[in-house]
Amino acid sequence: MIEGKLVDLVPFEDDFATYFEQWMNEESWFRARVWERREPHPEDAVKKFIEKMEKNEHGALIGFQTKDGDPIGGVIWDHEWTRVRKVDAILFVGDMRYEGTDEALDGLLMLLRYVFETRGVHRVDAAALAFDEVRIEFYHRAGFSHEGTLRQHVRWDGDYVDLELFGLLEDEWPGYEQITAQLDLQPSGIEPKPKPEKKDEKKNGSGQQPG
Amino acid sequence: MFEGLLVDLVPYGKDFLDRENEWANAEASFWGSGGDRRVVSRAQTQARLQRWAEALESGHDTGVAFGIRAKDGTPLGFMGLTWVLPYHRLAMLGAKIGDPAYWSGGYGTDALLLVIDYAFDWLDMHKLWLTTTGFNRRVMRQMEKVGFTLESRARRETLADGQWHDGLFYGLLRTEWPGRDAKIEQLGLRVRAEG
Amino acid sequence: MTVLHGLLVDLVPSTAEFGEKMYQFWNNESRMWATMGDYGPISRAQIERIREERAQAVERGYTGVHFMMRARDGQIIGNIGLNWVDYYNRVAYLGSWIGEPDYWSGGHGTDALLLLVEYGLSWLDLRRLALSTMGPNVRAQRNVEKVGFRLEARERQATLVNGAWVDALTYGMLREEWRGRDVLVEELDLRARAEQRYGTGDE
């Protein structure tokens, strides 16, 4: 666990894996993953995605949760390009009650803290669909610069929409402590949701060990 | 396969694959990779080509590779769609001319016009895009000439010979493309090719 | 969880519980109607193998998109999807299957079809949708015609169904022929049909 101001980064497993079957089918997932084809993700595709990210040598999927342990969503760093020390950063909010809250923003800041202060990257890339104002606002608050607009780039519900590109460089990142102090993050006071029901173990006994 | 004025686009077959290792170690690779200077063994190149072939076979790589062949039969390099997202009808272009002697004679532009027509007329793409680096003036000039728009500038994205350089994103919408014939006319390429 | 919200059904991603449903659907008469007479007993192990193969097909570049059909009462009643999406020609073949006979003729299939067509045109930007059925499946023919599909081909005596040679019919619809989901929901009275079956409440 990596502890932050309002949220902690934790492995993407247990309750996260359970929630993910739902989250990966929400609109917010497709807004976060701008390149993905909008399609239903059946159970096995959800598991496969987690597995793929677990084996990914140039990226990872990490869960983030409140201080009470309430899972909010995930952060992804990916396509790490070691020669130029560059990664793509993705924030997704699964529990939509947290959309736009400081907890969600802290998820993004914790991701930036991790890639700049632990992995030592030089540059972080981020993208947002042009109508995704909440995300764009987050990028600005985290210190990203808007670098350009890829016109009519992605198909979205009957139309082609612009993709806004953002970048943040290591010498522009003030450090996690400083930026969180500056942004004065405040908890939203959202009640933690009840724990999800444990999924039935497979009859043939090959199911995972509990927790 | 597709006939241009100075070059033809042909399948990226043995003639081209045989030159891959030479090109991978040449100056062309520095420009194509945004500043990397790789020193690659034949075995490494072989392994890379093998992975590429497998990715095409399995459908993980949806790209389309053409060889650029001069009219005298010389294999000049690669031109193609390196990343095709059919559901967004979006394709990324990539090119590499191996031999510097062919860098400014209009060969690349000739091949580029063919592949643009191919992507719009045969694959029904909505948009084409590509990335290059802020120090690649030749490509920047070429893109502006052909009608691409500079859409985004990723600051200090890549390192080349000790300096950080911006990454550039260029895009061309289908609605902006007048067609190859009109473009050839507009740029006066026929005269140049004959001259 | 829901991806596409309808009036009588929601189209949702496939979950683990669909395995057992598949076993049930593939072993009842619905199988004959949903296919063209391809009907016979099938074991749980075979179903499991089919599910595994399908899951792996995506890795091999399979482009189909499939949804489970969940009725307003929560029952999983069938599936519907694009069996093959040809992105270069922007064409897809639809397949639909209601495995619970109790839900036939209630408008569930039509509701699902409208959602799927709208999805194919809006999200995947397809130009043409096609589907096939067989001569005896008059209900399917009526449904797809109402939605705007046109009969394009009749292959005479193409398939054997329950001892008789029957025609295979192919229907197609072009993008510009689609009148929009809202218009058809109105025209086909789906709101009233949903109310009749499930009472008022959430859509």
Side-chain angles (χ1 to χ4, degrees), chain A residues 18-36:
Chain A
T18 307
Y19 284 126
F20 201 38
E21 234 187 277
Q22 185 185 332
W23 290 350
M24 209 177 161
N25 284 296
E26 305 274 13
E27 179 181 312
S28 62
W29 172 257
F30 296 93
R31 269 194 277 116
R33 303 265 303 170
V34 296
W35 297 111
E36 255 191 56

Side-chain angles (χ1 to χ4, degrees), chain C residues 142-203:
Chain C
R142 218 174 32 229
N143 279 343
V144 303
E145 279 163 12
K146 278 188 306 201
V147 167
F149 283 84
R150 280 160 56 169
L151 179 62
E152 296 184 333
R154 172 184 292 271
E155 285 178 68
R156 294 167 305 150
Q157 298 190 20
T159 179
L160 185 65
V161 179
N162 202 12
W165 289 102
V166 305
D167 298 349
L169 312 181
T170 298
Y171 282 85
M173 179 165 56
L174 301 176
R175 177 179 197 96
E176 55 270 26
E177 292 163 356
W178 173 240
R179 295 159 61 212
R181 179 166 175 266
D182 292 347
V183 172
L184 288 161
V185 161
E186 226 26 71
E187 192 174 295
L188 301 173
D189 220 14
L190 286 182
R191 228 171 280 278
R193 289 170 87 180
E195 250 171 57
Q196 203 180 347
R197 175 129 187 174
Y198 298 108
T200 47
D202 295 350
E203 282 184 2

Side-chain angles (χ1 to χ4, degrees), chain A residues 18-19 21-27 30 36-48 52 131 155-160 199 202-204, chain C residues 1-3 12-17 20 44 48 51 54-56 58-59 62-67 85 87 90 119 121-126 175:
Chain A
T18 307
Y19 284 126
E21 234 187 277
Q22 185 185 332
W23 290 350
M24 209 177 161
N25 284 296
E26 305 274 13
E27 179 181 312
F30 296 93
E36 255 191 56
R37 175 168 73 150
R38 180 67 170 260
E39 65 180 358
H41 291 124
E43 212 218 346
D44 54 285
V46 175
K47 280 200 198 105
K48 234 176 246 168
K52 196 181 94 185
F131 58 80
R155 181 77 185 176
W156 186 276
D157 195 11
D159 216 345
Y160 290 90
K199 296 194 92 181
K202 280 209 166 175
K203 274 176 253 156
N204 57 18
Chain C
M1 160 79 83
T2 299
V3 174
V12 302
S14 182
T15 58
E17 57 183 315
E20 186 54 31
R44 282 200 168 77
E48 208 38 55
R51 276 169 65 76
R54 287 183 177 181
Q56 283 158 8
V58 177
E59 305 277 296
Y62 174 68
T63 55
V65 180
H66 299 275
F67 296 88
V85 185
Y87 276 111
R90 293 160 60 203
Y119 167 79
L121 299 178
S122 293
W123 286 97
L124 307 185
D125 200 14
L126 301 172
R175 177 179 197 96

